[in-house]
Amino acid sequence: MKQGPSRRTPLFHIAKRDRMRPAAAWGVRVGAFVLALLLNALFVWCVVRVDPLTFYRTMLRGAFGSSSYLWATFKATAKLLCIAVALAPAFKMRFWNIGAEGQVLIGGMAAAFVMYHYTSLPTPVLFLLMIVCSLLAGGIWGLIPAFFKAKLNTNETLFTLMMNYIATQIVLYFYNEWRGIRSALGMLNSSTKVGWFSSLWGGTSDGSLLQNEDFWFIVIVAVLTVLMYFYLRSTKHGYEIAVVGESGNTARYAGIHVNKVLLRTMILSGAICGFCGFLTVSSQSHTISSEMAGGYGFTAIIVAWLSKFNTFTMAGVALLIVALEKGAALMSNTYGTLGFSAPAADVMVGVMLLVVIGSEFFIQYRVMRSHAGKEAETV
Amino acid sequence: MSEPNCTVIRLQNVTKTFGDVVANHDITMEIRSGEILSLLGENGSGKTTLMNLLAGIYYPDSGDIFVRGERVSIRSPQDAHRLGIGMIHQHFKLVEVFTPVENIVLGLREPYNPAAAEKKIGEICRTYGFSLDLKCRVRDMSVSQKQTLEIVKALYRGAEILILDEPTAVLTPQESDKLFEVLRNMRRDGKAVVIITHKLHEVLSVSDRVAILRKGEYIDTVETAKATEQSLTEMMVGKRVELNIERPPVERREKRLQVAHLSCRGRDGVTALSDVSFEAYGGEILGIAGISGCGQKELLESIAGLQKTEPGSEILYTGPDGKTESLLGKSAKQIRALGVSLSFVPEDRLGMGLVGGMGMTENMLLRHYAEGRSPLTRTRPSRQLAEKVRTDLEVVTPSLRTPVRRLSGGNVQKVLVGREIASEPAVLMTAYAVRGLDINTSYTIYRLLNEQKRKGVAVLYVGEDLDVLLALCDRILVLCGGRVTGVVDAAGTTKEEIGYLMTKQNGTEADAV
Amino acid sequence: MIWTNILGWVQQAVPFAAFLALAALGELLTEKAGSLNLGTPGTMCVGASAGFITVYSYCNAVEEPSVVLILLISLGSSFLAATLLGLLYSFFTVSLRINQNVVGLVLTIFGCGLAEFLSYYFVKSESGNVRCEAAFRVFTAKIPFLSEKLGWFSELFFRYGFMLYVTIAAVILLSLFFYHTRAGLHLRAVGENPGTADAAGISVTKYRYLASSLGAGLVGMAGLFCVMEFKSGAWSTADVYTLEAFGWLAVALVIFALWKPLNLLWGSLIFGFCYWAYVYLPQLLGVTVSTDLMRMLPYVITILVLILVNLRRHKGDQGPAALGLSYFREER
């Protein structure tokens, strides 16, 4: 047969996979994870000539090696997971909420505002007010882009992105207002401990788990994770979110009010982010700063995306990322003088994420060698 | 330029299949320069697929294509361009924010010179009598202007063979006449023009020859001068095939639905239904026939509460208890809340009737998930229902949790129909219920519909295969261009009569209820 | 007094606007082809650190650094490093078809970390700021005659380094490219409707790769520009955070400019005036404004623009129609 005029057959042919067995898919992901570990080991070797075995051992120790390392790892995991859990319903609805960072900030800001200004309130009332305000603030921060998406179909990615920096600037404003002429704000109510988790058991700690702020932070996030799992899986709301995410037409067919679900879900997503801000302020930082969310608002997006809306998977992915970060932190403590500085953690996390998200391609698509005789169908 | 009336394209034993479906089977035909050829056939007869083979969209499984006597292989639209073949698809390939000139020169390798291009475009327009405003943006153009632009684009690229896919479907009669005038000018200029259509009057008024396809088979090519509407219809729909579909006699006939003066607009604001009135009775299957896109979808969606209707419309439902409710302006949920048991099997199974990413169990929930006061969904009944549908209708699926998107077309439809029937409806509406299904599954669907009919359900069956409509339905309502052109008794009519009603032009004898 | 203040405001705002406009120009080029690269902040950091590190090393290594080499080395390495990041973005989003938002965010995390890491590693400064005086002088050199002899005209228009004029030229050139060349037409078609472009024989892959890579290169150069101009040739690892914030501001500016290059020129000026308002407004009008709230303004007006554009429902004002979407021919 005469060849078509100047149409070269490509070397590879890509087709969408019908499906991949979950086991195989996880195999690909684990393979990617291992590859990323190897790449990171190579990176470390190039920088400080530390052999891979020592490297992995240090990494493991930095993440899980002692009780204080373990606490730090779980605390950070809880925070990252909390934001990812907040994003889960929005992502399941196929709404790109890039604004988690801002929603956490504004929620934390609201909580801090209450604890800064209403120090005389009885503790239960104060906490209730802090929680309600942080939920409201985060919820509103989520609602605004959702409202304009529903009414005018504005681009939610760009909108929520902008909302982040408005929140950042608001926090900076209050930070500088409250700081006054001091060089740094420091912890709020550091003498009275008003609004701190620890004020719930009298401000001092007897060292037990029940009087550990971090413990309660982790417990609350764990409960949230389970609740969100069942919210998405077993409730009518969760069902509606799933249908709207799959197809707006099907949702209409089923009598679902698409815009109502959109607004409700974004309020929820923002409110949980706001709640995370409250948890951070009340149990961890006891103050505000524009770094309150610590970039986890963005990392959580990747966690949520990789986990495909399953909150338990999110816990695993979040733990992996944080462990990598904490391990790298110890690495930089140990080898900092040799040039392995703290930011290397971000590089390593970046490499890991790039490799793992890249592996999704091999789960979604099939790459085939094109045979000379085979026709490239464009059906 | 080719000499007038010589063969420019010859298709030789061309076959194209999609999975199990044979779209074109062993087709041999010719296209000549200096003439307008109509490619006539019902929906699904394979006209568009055949022409897409020439336009480089599809590649034939077997058979040869000759252009000007030389065997060619057309693997991409660019290959088609190089051979001088231009096709105007129903969905225009235009960039909305660009100007017409920008769209026309898009992808060409010649130096970029809008002024020169504009001049050349002007010449083309003058030669063939197009009127095209080059100063506006495509997004501000009407559908007919966009079509003109597509044609000019093809000519600008040196197309000698022009294929138009149902060009008049989106045009007003005046615009159609203008288009035909242009096509005649092209014929005079020695171009080969092919129009894909199912409108007989157009065929007769504009074309020189007519090629007829039926169910993927090539029937014949005849000189238009020697053809009549009667003869063409016969060739297009074929002799009536006796199908082994049961038609149980109508027993109790109770009025369930009364639709009066129903009008609505489609998504693009064009009138989709105008002044449709009819009644549907329990214990009867009412067939709805028509060329696709004549308002069938909007009709069913209006009744199901998914389509906004124009003022003056009326949709009344009378339940088995004799209570009458108006369904107008109510959402699907509100209709259900009234206690109206209305089931709907939409045309777009995975995009509307089912959630592709969910399993059978979760899909059973779709229409009833909101029932009850509990905030939780009740999965047990839907799992039982899924199990029942799976065994009763012999749905082949690895598990009830397997996303239905992964099932075969027939199984997808069984899941959908099974769910809709399970809610014991008083009215059951189906749109193209057997499209793309194999024979066995189709018969399963017919059997299910007849069961519903025996139970006293009012069944609305939108179909495209006239043989099936004649064999299965009790009465057939024919739509053409959003109007009812007739309601006939299925037992006492012929395929030709329905075919004639389907292609009857707007306004001639409309409102015949 | 008033004149001095206005002049001061302008002289601060213009360079600020210039590097912002250059970064936004890079992102705009990327977005015109339909790729929303949220890795812009990371790219900017990488460009800045790569450019600074190399030129700093060069200046320390030789006695008399040559002007030409300073320019070549600094701009070249920032462009190259950023382009590599852009290539990575293209590979993931175009070839591997991974979601653009996800890839962009990862690249921001990765890029910011990498920039900080590289600075530590190569500049090895515990004391924070490191300055490269020679490079700073090159980047802020004024045009001899024009910058002095024309009175207020010189003060207003010619008191800036050459990069400002390069940026203006780049904006104009890119605008000409988009609207008056065939390649520009094809690039826009890819961003508007990749399906149609593909059918017309335009390689979506090629255009997206090129746009993202070269766009990232511009963003990287903007990063270096920012260090030389805004940071007066000094660099510390903490500047990564500043640059990251400017990177997001550049993304906002693209929206604010409604995806039209020429709008970047005045749009960036508005952002620049907002940024510096806290210094000059009190002196000019006697009102004290919060620095932080003023710096919020660019984002607020960008959101307002986003809303207004959708209110008007005027398609030409909105971004490229296929922005953010992967293209896969076989998916229809």
Side-chain angles (χ1 to χ4, degrees):
Chain A
M1 187 183 276
K2 190 188 158 194
Q3 267 300 313
S6 90
R7 171 102 170 178
R8 282 166 295 140
T9 332
L11 213 54
F12 294 103
H13 176 64
I14 294 167
K16 193 146 188 153
R17 260 182 214 282
D18 192 24
R19 71 191 186 115
M20 196 183 211
R21 278 175 300 113
W26 281 108
V28 172
R29 291 188 189 116
V30 170
F33 180 70
V34 171
L35 175 69
L37 280 182
L38 290 176
L39 282 175
N40 275 331
L42 185 72
F43 165 66
V44 170
W45 190 79
C46 290
V47 176
V48 285
R49 302 278 182 238
V50 169
D51 68 280
L53 224 61
T54 320
F55 161 63
Y56 293 130
R57 210 177 299 131
T58 318
M59 292 287 289
L60 271 177
R61 202 156 60 81
F64 309 110
S66 76
S67 95
S68 66
Y69 287 146
L70 211 60
W71 272 116
T73 301
F74 279 122
K75 204 169 84 175
T77 305
K79 187 160 157 187
L80 181 57
L81 177 60
C82 184
I83 305 174
V85 163
L87 290 174
F91 277 31
K92 184 147 192 173
M93 198 174 59
R94 305 261 160 93
F95 185 99
W96 276 94
N97 181 8
I98 309 281
E101 188 95 0
Q103 289 151 16
V104 173
L105 282 173
I106 207 73
M109 185 62 235
F113 190 85
V114 172
M115 82 188 230
Y116 186 76
H117 282 290
Y118 304 99
T119 42
S120 53
L121 283 176
T123 305
V125 179
L126 179 81
F127 268 82
L128 197 68
L129 198 61
M130 281 168 76
I131 292 174
V132 168
C133 286
S134 63
L135 288 175
L136 271 178
I140 290 171
W141 232 243
L143 173 67
I144 294 170
F147 174 80
F148 286 105
K149 169 88 178 176
K151 285 282 163 220
L152 299 171
N153 198 23
T154 50
N155 182 326
E156 81 262 22
T157 311
L158 301 174
F159 203 124
T160 49
L161 188 69
M162 294 302 114
M163 293 296 283
N164 285 333
Y165 299 96
I166 296 180
T168 308
Q169 295 301 334
I170 290 176
V171 170
L172 279 174
Y173 171 76
F174 280 101
Y175 179 88
N176 288 325
E177 283 288 300
W178 292 351
R179 178 173 62 89
I181 50 166
R182 283 175 291 167
S183 65
L185 179 57
M187 290 192 187
L188 301 174
N189 308 341
S190 54
S191 53
T192 57
K193 305 243 185 322
V194 168
W196 294 29
F197 262 30
S198 57
S199 70
L200 290 169
W201 50 84
T204 54
S205 167
D206 61 1
S208 72
L209 267 188
L210 293 181
Q211 298 199 354
N212 182 331
E213 290 190 322
D214 296 335
F215 172 72
W216 286 110
F217 187 114
I218 294 165
V219 167
I220 290 171
V221 174
V223 171
L224 264 180
T225 307
V226 175
L227 283 180
M228 181 55 77
Y229 182 80
F230 285 105
Y231 176 76
L232 289 179
R233 210 183 89 112
S234 312
T235 67
K236 289 173 180 172
H237 283 187
Y239 188 78
E240 286 178 341
I241 289 170
V243 176
V244 170
E246 279 267 347
S247 149
N249 249 342
T250 308
R252 280 196 317 129
Y253 170 81
I256 296 171
H257 199 310
V258 176
N259 280 348
K260 198 176 103 187
V261 175
L262 175 67
L263 297 182
R264 187 181 68 205
T265 308
M266 271 310 288
I267 292 176
L268 178 73
S269 181
I272 299 177
C273 282
F275 184 66
C276 179
F278 154 75
L279 288 177
T280 307
V281 166
S282 184
S283 83
Q284 289 190 351
S285 67
H286 307 301
T287 186
I288 51 167
S289 83
S290 59
E291 289 296 305
M292 211 152 38
Y296 276 6
F298 293 121
T299 314
I301 291 166
I302 297 146
V303 173
W305 185 80
L306 277 173
S307 312
K308 303 275 176 295
F309 328 123
N310 183 325
T311 56
F312 293 136
T313 316
M314 284 177 196
V317 176
L319 181 65
L320 269 182
I321 291 176
V322 171
L324 196 67
E325 238 177 46
K326 297 294 174 192
L330 183 64
M331 280 292 294
S332 74
N333 271 342
T334 322
Y335 302 103
T337 47
L338 296 172
F340 196 87
S341 53
D346 281 340
V347 178
M348 286 167 61
V349 170
V351 169
M352 169 73 66
L353 291 176
L354 277 177
V355 176
V356 174
I357 61 174
S359 75
E360 288 296 311
F361 169 77
F362 297 95
I363 294 166
Q364 295 285 325
Y365 298 93
R366 182 201 306 274
V367 183
M368 291 169 291
R369 278 291 291 275
S370 305
H371 304 293
K374 199 172 175 287
E375 287 148 10
E377 271 291 306
T378 45
V379 180
Chain B
M1 193 161 291
S2 336
E3 287 168 46
N5 294 319
C6 72
T7 303
V8 284
I9 292 186
R10 203 156 69 84
L11 295 149
Q12 181 100 46
N13 306 104
V14 169
T15 296
K16 175 72 190 172
T17 57
F18 295 106
D20 298 335
V21 184
V22 183
N24 294 133
H25 180 245
D26 196 25
I27 289 179
T28 301
M29 61 176 280
E30 286 178 356
I31 297 169
R32 295 178 192 160
S33 61
E35 73 162 20
I36 299 175
L37 175 74
S38 289
L39 195 54
L40 182 69
E42 284 185 290
N43 286 101
S45 56
K47 304 167 298 214
T48 304
T49 308
L50 187 67
M51 289 301 110
N52 275 336
L53 295 176
L54 295 180
I57 307 288
Y58 299 139
Y59 194 79
D61 297 342
S62 65
D64 297 316
I65 298 171
F66 297 87
V67 176
R68 293 178 203 91
E70 204 176 325
R71 189 159 70 176
V72 294
S73 113
I74 309 171
R75 286 170 183 274
S76 70
Q78 285 76 54
D79 290 353
H81 280 313
R82 266 176 233 119
L83 294 165
I85 302 170
M87 181 160 170
I88 285 87
H89 298 271
Q90 272 187 298
H91 298 284
F92 302 138
K93 293 215 168 286
L94 297 170
V95 180
E96 291 272 306
V97 297
F98 282 9
T99 63
V101 179
E102 287 173 330
N103 267 293
I104 286 170
V105 301
L106 193 68
L108 296 179
R109 299 278 178 265
E110 63 180 30
Y112 186 53
N113 187 345
E118 215 166 296
K119 210 169 135 225
K120 190 170 159 197
I121 295 165
E123 274 163 28
I124 292 172
C125 290
R126 266 192 304 283
T127 312
Y128 300 106
F130 293 106
S131 59
L132 191 60
D133 178 9
L134 297 179
K135 294 284 170 258
C136 61
R137 302 261 160 186
V138 171
R139 59 158 189 267
D140 302 322
M141 293 168 82
S142 70
V143 187
S144 111
Q145 284 173 309
K146 285 181 189 172
Q147 186 183 58
T148 308
L149 175 56
E150 281 279 20
I151 298 172
V152 173
K153 186 167 127 188
L155 293 173
Y156 187 92
R157 283 148 201 252
E160 291 295 317
I161 302 137
L162 210 70
I163 305 165
L164 297 100
D165 191 358
E166 307 208 3
T168 56
V170 290
L171 302 184
T172 64
Q174 291 78 8
E175 287 168 339
S176 300
D177 288 342
K178 222 165 111 190
L179 172 72
F180 292 154
E181 202 45 53
V182 169
L183 294 184
R184 288 191 193 102
N185 289 340
M186 284 190 227
R187 168 176 61 189
R188 198 176 311 133
D189 202 38
K191 310 250 185 235
V193 178
V194 181
I195 58 171
I196 300 175
T197 183
H198 44 229
K199 295 184 184 168
L200 291 175
H201 64 97
E202 283 176 6
V203 172
L204 292 171
S205 71
V206 76
S207 64
D208 302 303
R209 291 188 310 146
V210 196
I212 297 117
L213 293 186
R214 188 202 312 150
K215 293 182 179 166
E217 306 266 356
Y218 172 74
I219 304 300
D220 198 6
T221 302
V222 294
E223 302 269 334
T224 312
K226 293 175 188 157
T228 62
E229 230 165 90
Q230 190 68 32
S231 69
L232 289 177
T233 308
E234 265 181 39
M235 279 195 276
M236 183 165 87
V237 297
K239 286 275 168 283
R240 182 167 177 180
V241 186
E242 281 307 323
L243 293 168
N244 194 15
I245 301 174
E246 191 194 5
R247 178 163 50 201
V250 178
E251 287 166 5
R252 292 168 295 122
R253 201 161 170 270
E254 285 174 28
K255 188 150 91 181
R256 281 280 168 277
L257 264 186
Q258 172 150 23
V259 173
H261 313 298
L262 177 63
S263 302
C264 74
R265 286 171 191 281
R267 203 153 284 167
D268 41 8
V270 180
T271 303
L273 285 178
S274 88
D275 200 22
V276 169
S277 302
F278 69 94
E279 279 139 25
Y281 297 90
E284 164 192 273
I285 298 183
L286 174 66
I288 297 174
I291 305 298
S292 88
C294 278
Q296 295 95 320
K297 176 172 169 272
E298 286 80 3
L299 176 58
L300 298 195
E301 290 190 0
S302 298
I303 298 171
L306 301 174
Q307 169 77 47
K308 253 182 98 163
T309 52
E310 297 284 292
S313 309
E314 209 177 316
I315 304 170
L316 294 174
Y317 165 86
T318 311
D321 53 359
K323 233 170 77 185
T324 300
E325 302 272 6
S326 170
L327 305 186
L328 210 63
K330 299 203 166 61
S331 77
K333 219 177 217 166
Q334 287 166 324
I335 290 175
R336 219 174 309 139
L338 284 175
V340 175
S341 43
L342 189 77
S343 281
F344 179 25
V345 177
E347 177 183 354
D348 187 359
R349 292 163 202 163
L350 285 174
M352 186 175 227
L354 296 168
V355 185
M358 290 182 177
M360 273 184 75
T361 306
E362 283 184 289
N363 266 300
M364 291 300 146
L365 264 175
L366 189 65
R367 299 272 265 171
H368 303 280
Y369 76 94
E371 280 170 12
R373 291 173 162 278
S374 155
L376 300 180
T377 50
R378 279 157 47 85
T379 41
R380 188 172 309 133
S382 61
R383 194 163 50 238
Q384 285 162 351
L385 177 58
E387 199 57 70
K388 187 171 160 352
V389 168
R390 186 190 189 176
T391 37
D392 287 0
L393 302 188
E394 294 165 345
V395 178
V396 182
T397 173
S399 95
L400 295 182
R401 294 215 307 271
T402 309
V404 292
R405 185 182 288 129
R406 292 191 196 140
L407 307 185
S408 73
N411 285 312
V412 167
Q413 183 68 328
K414 282 180 186 171
V415 174
L416 177 54
V417 172
R419 182 190 70 204
E420 289 305 299
I421 287 175
S423 62
E424 306 206 327
V427 176
L428 172 64
M429 305 191 289
T430 64
Y432 307 109
V434 297
R435 183 183 277 177
L437 304 190
D438 61 68
I439 298 288
N440 280 331
T441 318
S442 302
Y443 274 86
T444 309
I445 302 287
Y446 302 143
R447 179 173 57 78
L448 289 170
L449 294 181
N450 272 328
E451 262 171 33
Q452 295 302 308
K453 170 180 167 184
R454 281 202 199 92
K455 280 189 189 165
V457 176
V459 181
L460 266 65
Y461 178 89
V462 171
E464 47 197 348
D465 188 328
L466 293 186
D467 289 316
V468 173
L469 278 163
L470 286 170
L472 177 73
C473 304
D474 300 299
R475 289 184 306 143
I476 299 173
L477 177 146
V478 187
L479 284 175
C480 178
R483 290 172 178 276
V484 177
T485 47
V487 180
V488 292
D489 198 357
T493 188
T494 59
K495 223 166 154 178
E496 286 75 21
E497 190 187 351
I498 295 179
Y500 174 69
L501 288 172
M502 276 163 61
T503 50
K504 193 150 73 172
Q505 224 196 330
N506 287 356
T508 42
E509 252 179 280
D511 303 271
V513 182
Chain C
M1 183 63 199
I2 289 178
W3 169 242
T4 325
N5 273 319
I6 290 180
L7 194 65
W9 200 0
V10 170
Q11 286 180 347
Q12 294 276 33
V14 167
F16 184 90
F19 74 76
L20 209 57
L22 187 61
L25 189 67
E27 175 68 9
L28 192 143
L29 176 59
T30 310
E31 290 190 19
K32 273 281 182 196
S35 298
L36 178 66
N37 188 352
L38 294 183
T40 295
T43 313
M44 207 162 158
C45 294
V46 167
S49 64
F52 184 83
I53 290 165
T54 47
V55 79
Y56 178 75
S57 314
Y58 168 69
C59 291
N60 279 355
V62 293
E63 288 286 311
E64 291 273 312
S66 95
V67 173
V68 178
L69 276 181
I70 284 182
L71 283 179
L72 266 183
I73 288 175
S74 59
L75 287 174
S77 55
S78 64
F79 182 82
L80 217 69
T83 302
L84 282 178
L85 223 55
L87 266 178
L88 207 61
Y89 173 84
S90 318
F91 176 69
F92 273 85
T93 57
V94 179
S95 298
L96 297 187
R97 303 186 180 94
I98 309 289
N99 182 288
Q100 294 185 359
N101 296 340
V102 171
V103 176
L105 291 174
V106 171
L107 281 181
T108 285
I109 295 172
F110 176 69
C112 291
L114 188 68
E116 235 186 307
F117 172 78
L118 289 176
S119 314
Y120 263 117
Y121 191 75
F122 288 103
V123 181
K124 288 202 177 86
S125 145
E126 283 80 41
S127 59
N129 263 341
V130 191
R131 224 161 157 254
C132 186
E133 181 64 30
F136 171 69
R137 277 202 306 270
V138 172
F139 272 86
T140 50
K142 314 278 184 288
I143 306 169
F145 172 76
L146 292 175
S147 62
E148 289 153 23
K149 302 287 160 58
L150 300 174
W152 63 270
F153 195 78
S154 293
E155 292 287 320
L156 215 48
F157 294 108
F158 293 106
R159 299 294 293 176
Y160 317 103
F162 73 96
M163 279 298 277
L164 167 71
Y165 310 103
V166 170
T167 302
I168 294 174
V171 167
I172 293 169
L173 278 178
L174 215 61
S175 181
L176 288 174
F177 167 75
F178 283 145
Y179 300 106
H180 297 280
T181 69
R182 174 166 298 280
L185 181 73
H186 290 182
L187 183 101
R188 285 187 292 136
V190 166
E192 286 291 340
N193 191 338
T196 293
D198 191 25
I202 299 167
S203 166
V204 176
T205 307
K206 187 178 93 186
Y207 274 95
R208 287 205 166 164
Y209 258 88
L210 278 173
S212 301
S213 307
L214 296 179
L218 289 181
V219 170
M221 278 160 60
L224 179 75
F225 183 12
C226 172
V227 173
M228 291 302 164
E229 189 73 66
F230 184 75
K231 288 273 154 195
S232 315
W235 174 249
S236 78
T237 47
D239 289 339
V240 167
Y241 297 100
T242 319
L243 272 176
E244 191 188 347
F246 289 162
W248 291 122
L249 206 54
V251 175
L253 181 55
V254 178
I255 307 164
F256 183 76
L258 299 175
W259 292 270
K260 293 190 177 72
L262 291 179
N263 287 352
L264 288 177
L265 293 178
W266 59 267
S268 62
L269 261 181
I270 292 182
F271 280 28
F273 280 116
C274 283
Y275 192 86
W276 288 105
Y278 73 101
V279 180
Y280 298 99
L281 270 192
Q283 296 173 36
L284 278 170
L285 300 175
V287 284
T288 319
V289 283
S290 153
T291 319
D292 302 305
L293 294 186
M294 278 315 287
R295 286 184 182 170
M296 188 165 90
L297 265 184
Y299 301 109
V300 176
I301 52 180
T302 301
I303 285 182
L304 288 180
V305 165
L306 208 56
I307 294 170
L308 280 175
V309 163
N310 281 277
L311 256 180
R312 284 179 56 203
R313 292 175 192 285
H314 193 272
K315 268 189 195 145
D317 290 345
Q318 288 166 7
L323 185 62
L325 307 174
S326 294
Y327 176 65
F328 186 33
R329 184 192 285 164
E330 278 149 61
E331 217 164 58
R332 268 191 286 176

